Amino acid sequence: MTRIWAWLVTRELSDEGSATVEYFLVILAATALAIIALKWFQSGSGGGLLGNLFGKVISWVAGAF
């Protein structure tokens, strides 16, 4: 048992999977923020803002063509 503990304590930690974990956490945070924003827009607090934004974008695109 002590050999296993010594091996765990003294082995070098590798960074092989750290980039994948970081990308996963960024995607998870972005998804959580998107869900929170959608819930806020649907609750009525930002519903008018979302409708106005889409209306402006659609009118801008229609005016550009």
Side-chain angles (χ1 to χ4, degrees):
M1 184 68 157
T2 57
R3 286 195 315 189
I4 294 172
W5 179 254
W7 177 78
L8 286 172
V9 171
T10 60
R11 72 183 182 112
E12 292 183 25
L13 298 174
S14 66
D15 292 333
E16 291 176 4
S18 64
T20 305
V21 172
E22 290 169 1
Y23 290 137
F24 172 74
L25 291 175
V26 168
I27 291 171
L28 185 67
T31 304
L33 287 175
I35 290 171
I36 290 170
L38 282 174
K39 293 292 182 185
W40 180 67
F41 285 135
Q42 290 174 350
S43 72
S45 301
L49 294 173
L50 187 61
N52 291 339
L53 176 66
F54 283 139
K56 287 181 182 180
V57 168
I58 289 172
S59 66
W60 179 78
V61 169
F65 296 104

